Structures are given as C-alpha cells and as structure tokens.
Amino acid sequence: MKFISTRGRAPSLSFADTVLTGLASDGGLYVPESLPAFSREEIASMAGLDYRELAFRIMQPFVGSDVSEEELRGIIDRSYSTFRHSAIAPLVQTDTNEWILELFHGPTLAFKDFALQFLGQLFDLLLKKRGERVVVMGATSGDTGSAAIEGCRHCENIDIFILHPHNRVSEVQRRQMTTVLSDNVFNIALEGNFDDCQNMVKASFAEQSFLPDGRRLVAVNSINWARIMAQIVYYFYAALRLGAPQRTVNFSVPTGNFGDIFAGYLARQMGLPIGQLVIATNANDILHRCISDNDHSPRPLVHSLSPSMDIMVSSNFERLLFDLYGRDGAAVAALLADRSAPMHLSKEALDRARELFSSYRVDDTRTVEVIRAVYESSGYLLDPHTAIGVEAARQVRRAEDQPMVCLSTAHPAKFPQAVARALPTQEIPLPPHMQDLFQREERMKVLPNDLKRVHEFMAMALGG
Ligand SMILES: *Cc1c(COP(=O)(O)O)cnc(C)c1O
C-alpha cells in the first residue's frame, strides 16, 4: 500500500517509511492512497473474534510487505499483553442504548496506550530490520508523554526524550513518566511552559546535527499514521459486539487533535455501519464552531478540567478535509495556507461533513454536573473527558433506537481534581498496578529553556 500527502506535492511512501516520517515534505499528512474495504459478509465473519485477532484482520491490509503476517501478530500480541482487562476494550452499559467503551486499561490509564504500545513495538521491528537506531523526541502537557515512554521503554533501537514544562503537569502525570527508570528513557523538565517545550522539539527536528553518530529524530505525535491505524480496531470491536453489521452503531468521541475520531471515520469508510460520529469538545471548541457555524477560527487557549482536549487547532482535521475536498491536495494546501487565519469550508464540503458528524461543546461547569449525575443515576464514575463525550451524545444523538457508544478516553483516577469537584467525598483509588506510584523513585533532568543546553544534555546522554 502506498501513502500520499494531503497537500499533494510530496513523494508517496511505503507503510514503513510513512511510519518513520513525521510531516510530509510539503507540510501535509500522509494518508493511504486507497483504503481497504470489507464487505458486509467479511465484517459479519469477524463477530466474536478476540481483540488481538480482530486487530490483525483490520491492520494487515495496511502494512503490505513491510511487516510479515507473523511479525504483525507478534507486535499485536506484545502491545496488548500490557493491558489489565482481558477484553482489552470492554463495553459497559450506562443507559438504554448508551454504552461506555473503556479505553483506559493500558499501562498509563488513557486511550493513547492503544496506539503507543503498538507504535513502540512497530518502531522496534522496523528499525531492527534496517539496523538503525533512532531518537524519539516529544513534548507533552500530560498523557502523550507517559504513553510514549511506556511504549518505548523496552525498545532496543530507541532512546526517548520527553520534555514537560517543569512544575506544570499534575503529580500523577509527572510520576507516570519519571518513575520509568529504563536506560533509554530521559525526562527533561523544562523551565518554561508547554509551548516552550514544543518549540524546543520543533527546533531540534529542524537542525539535527547535535545528535551523535548520525542518528536522527523520529516523532510519536498523533499525526503518526500507525497511531491512527491502531485506533480503527476498537470501533470495529465495539460495533461487532453491539450487532454490526446487521445494526448501525454510533459513537461519541472526546476530541482534541481529531486523531481518535478520525479513526472512527476510517472504520466507516472501510465498511463498518456507523450512522453518526459526535465530535465532543470542551471550551476549546474550534471543531464545534466549524461543524455548527462554519467558523474555524483559532481563539486563545483556555485551560479546562479536561486538559488533554485543550488544543487550539486540531492537526488531524486536515486528513478529513482532504476527503471532503475530493482528495484534491492543492485545494487543501490553499485552504490551510495560513493556519492562524479563519477558515471557511465550501458548502459542499460542510454538507458532506454534516451527514456523518455532529458536534457539541461542554464547559467545565457542565462537565462536573455530568460526572455527578451519571454517578448518581448509574453508579458509574466518569473522567472529565469521557463526561464531555457522554453529554454531547445525549444532546445531539439522532437515532434513539441505535446503540450510542461513548469512548472513555481516561480512567477517573487520572484526573482526581475534576472528580473531586463533582463528588467531594468520593475516593478514587489508583488501579492496583499503580498504588505505589507515589513511593516510586523518580528520575528527571531540570533544564533551562535554552536549546544549546538541551542539546548538550541529549548528546551526552547518547554517549556522544
Ligand atoms: C489525547 C486525549 C484526547 C483527545 O484525543 P485526540 O485524538 O487528540 O482527539 C481525549 N481524552 C484524553 C484523555 C486524551 O488523552
């Protein structure tokens, strides 16, 4: 399978090269030239498969000859053996035709483990085959950093450096990163904010000569194609359990960078009967304004109780735009020429988007109310991100008689402040494997917001 850029001017790449590249050279994102599609009969034949076997069937058509069937099975096995629930992605019913898909049973308690456990294993395999050692570098304001570290900690051909803003991430989130003491894991606490961390990473990708032995940087952010691909699987998994392909199933997705919900869109393009996808946003509502009012204009970032959705402009939205504009790369490039300018979709593109997507915005006050109300009515404790998805689903669902699946993107213990606001007397213990998190030894390097100092530290750590 070949992968092409959403801006139409970069060379097409194989699966392996796509995974080991970040942005395309024309500034676009890579997407498959054509999607694999499954017939109704083929989907029906997947009913009852366990998560790993289903993952193999869904992902195999994408990887082509770059990864053998046996290798892919091995990667999938290792990726999901770290999950604490044997169903990997269990469904829980919370109301008539309303379900929660629990995506937080991985090592860091957020759905990002589905993609990053897989990506770490995939990197390791591809790099061993090439005899190459690379450096993963990323910035995090919370969930991505710990999930990336857990994904790469056992990879022999990777050293990973994660920058977080010093004293500006929660203690749970910091400890999930800094208590991983593997020799190839380096946490940098930067004296600055998240933007400073991101700028530091960008500048390092632009000028990599500071790395010893001709090594190069690889990105693990949510534009990586393999991350999206791994997320398609749980849409199939949930829908099959609720009666697909005989029944149409709908999903509500707490959305930040549009990676997770884009995977749901792809599942539908591959044949899964999905009737409605709900884009649930917090006060950072650019996607909601885009779908409801055709107003895609960046506004200053607001810090909310659902920090993993605090995003100003969602990078993966570009992949949807590419399809909405008939896969015309030049049209997408023109539309996105200035990312900080307001963008208006053509009527045709907007109509197309609205056939499948609905959107809704939930502010902090309402988020807290929903956590409380759902707990009181069903005894189920939602994390703030998931609460936004549940509320959005309840507000905009189109078909009461079809299942609505709300993706639960994090475990409530990961965001105790929001839960405490809703239910002040409720204890939210960490799951058993994390109970000693606050006693574990930490390792991190505090560095000034200075590119040269960061590069010196990295070069030394890499033995250069
Ligand atoms: C990353 C994240 C999201 C947003 O997912 P996107 O793929 O960026 O849209 C939502 N909830 C949680 C808990 C997350 O970590």
Side-chain angles (χ1 to χ4, degrees):
M1 179 172 289
K2 282 276 169 209
F3 290 79
I4 57 172
S5 165
T6 50
R7 306 228 179 150
R9 293 180 55 190
S12 63
L13 297 180
S14 68
F15 173 76
D17 286 327
T18 302
V19 171
L20 290 167
T21 310
L23 282 179
S25 57
D26 57 4
L29 306 183
Y30 277 102
V31 289
E33 192 168 36
S34 65
L35 276 181
F38 298 111
S39 69
R40 214 180 139 89
E41 291 69 38
E42 283 171 312
I43 295 175
S45 77
M46 297 174 187
L49 294 181
D50 73 13
Y51 194 89
R52 291 174 175 83
E53 181 60 26
L54 183 66
F56 175 79
R57 299 265 193 109
I58 303 291
M59 297 201 275
Q60 206 281 326
F62 288 100
V63 305
S65 55
D66 288 339
V67 181
S68 74
E69 295 199 358
E70 197 188 332
E71 288 166 340
L72 182 61
R73 285 186 193 279
I75 294 176
I76 291 169
D77 263 353
R78 290 191 293 280
S79 301
Y80 299 109
S81 65
T82 57
F83 280 58
R84 259 91 188 169
H85 196 298
S86 57
I88 314 291
L91 277 166
V92 176
Q93 187 162 16
T94 43
D95 206 339
T96 312
N97 271 333
E98 181 189 87
W99 305 79
I100 303 282
L101 181 63
E102 294 186 341
L103 301 177
F104 52 69
H105 294 284
T108 72
L109 312 181
F111 87 98
K112 292 192 169 66
D113 290 325
F114 275 86
L116 284 160
Q117 287 290 304
F118 180 80
L119 187 61
Q121 295 291 341
L122 180 63
F123 274 163
D124 211 36
L125 178 96
L126 296 175
L127 293 167
K128 273 182 193 152
K129 284 183 158 186
R130 293 176 179 210
E132 194 183 347
R133 232 184 124 86
V134 302
V135 178
V136 167
M137 185 180 189
T140 190
S141 55
D143 291 346
T144 307
S146 56
I149 287 171
E150 285 293 340
C152 294
R153 64 188 294 182
H154 299 299
C155 298
E156 289 167 28
N157 292 32
I158 292 177
D159 292 289
I160 176 167
F161 294 81
I162 296 293
L163 285 72
H164 71 264
H166 189 37
N167 290 331
R168 294 192 199 198
V169 297
S170 78
E171 187 167 6
V172 174
Q173 290 186 323
R174 186 190 73 234
R175 286 182 164 274
Q176 283 188 317
M177 299 190 279
T178 58
T179 59
V180 177
L181 303 178
S182 313
D183 291 341
N184 64 336
V185 172
F186 303 93
N187 279 286
I188 297 176
L190 196 74
E191 291 173 325
N193 59 26
F194 176 59
D195 282 340
D196 296 325
C197 295
Q198 257 187 330
N199 289 336
M200 191 73 66
V201 171
K202 266 189 209 150
S204 305
F205 270 83
E207 174 46 61
Q208 303 190 11
S209 59
F210 70 94
L211 293 169
D213 313 324
R215 292 227 237 157
R216 65 176 170 128
L217 294 179
V218 167
V220 289
N221 51 13
S222 79
I223 61 159
N224 193 299
W225 174 257
R227 284 185 60 176
I228 307 272
M229 179 180 80
Q231 293 172 179
I232 299 171
V233 178
Y234 48 70
Y235 286 89
F236 274 88
Y237 186 74
L240 282 162
R241 261 155 192 72
L242 295 174
Q246 286 78 16
R247 267 177 118 188
T248 298
V249 178
N250 307 300
F251 291 88
S252 179
V253 187
T255 296
N257 234 334
F258 207 74
D260 201 4
I261 196 165
F262 185 69
Y265 165 80
L266 293 174
R268 183 178 187 250
Q269 299 302 97
M270 291 165 72
L272 192 66
I274 296 178
Q276 183 185 15
L277 285 173
V278 179
I279 303 170
T281 79
N282 64 22
N284 298 290
D285 61 351
I286 186 166
L287 291 172
H288 170 58
R289 284 184 283 116
C290 178
I291 298 295
S292 58
D293 293 331
N294 199 7
D295 168 24
H296 189 281
S297 52
R299 294 206 186 138
L301 197 75
V302 179
H303 291 282
S304 75
L305 287 175
S306 42
S308 303
M309 294 155 66
D310 290 346
I311 282 170
M312 205 157 58
V313 175
S314 308
S315 27
N316 279 299
F317 196 51
E318 174 164 349
R319 289 184 156 125
L320 179 67
L321 291 175
F322 185 58
D323 279 6
L324 295 178
Y325 279 82
R327 310 205 112 203
D328 177 352
V332 172
L335 199 63
L336 298 176
D338 181 1
R339 285 293 260 182
S340 58
M343 175 178 85
H344 302 286
L345 305 189
S346 69
K347 181 174 178 320
E348 204 190 359
L350 192 61
D351 286 348
R352 242 191 242 182
R354 284 175 176 166
E355 279 169 27
L356 177 64
F357 292 97
S358 310
S359 67
Y360 196 76
R361 171 192 50 231
V362 181
D363 66 14
D364 278 354
T365 309
R366 189 68 197 138
T367 302
V368 169
E369 286 169 6
V370 172
I371 294 174
R372 188 185 305 126
V374 169
Y375 186 73
E376 283 171 358
S377 68
S378 67
Y380 193 85
L381 190 57
L382 300 169
D383 104 288
H385 305 79
T386 309
I388 289 173
V390 169
E391 173 67 357
R394 290 180 176 183
Q395 294 293 336
V396 301
R397 67 186 295 176
R398 293 176 189 155
E400 297 285 340
D401 59 336
Q402 293 171 356
M404 173 59 82
V405 180
C406 303
L407 269 49
S408 180
T409 50
H411 189 287
K414 213 166 170 178
F415 299 95
Q417 286 124 314
V419 179
R421 272 214 219 169
L423 303 158
T425 58
Q426 179 69 32
E427 294 233 8
I428 4 166
L430 285 162
H433 73 281
M434 289 228 196
Q435 298 249 299
D436 65 339
L437 187 66
F438 288 87
Q439 281 83 54
R440 289 185 204 161
E441 183 189 344
E442 286 190 86
R443 192 169 67 200
M444 67 178 188
K445 180 77 177 170
V446 181
L447 287 174
N449 182 14
D450 179 78
L451 190 63
K452 202 159 159 266
R453 291 285 299 279
V454 170
H455 286 181
E456 279 166 9
F457 171 75
M458 289 176 68
M460 206 166 70
L462 294 167

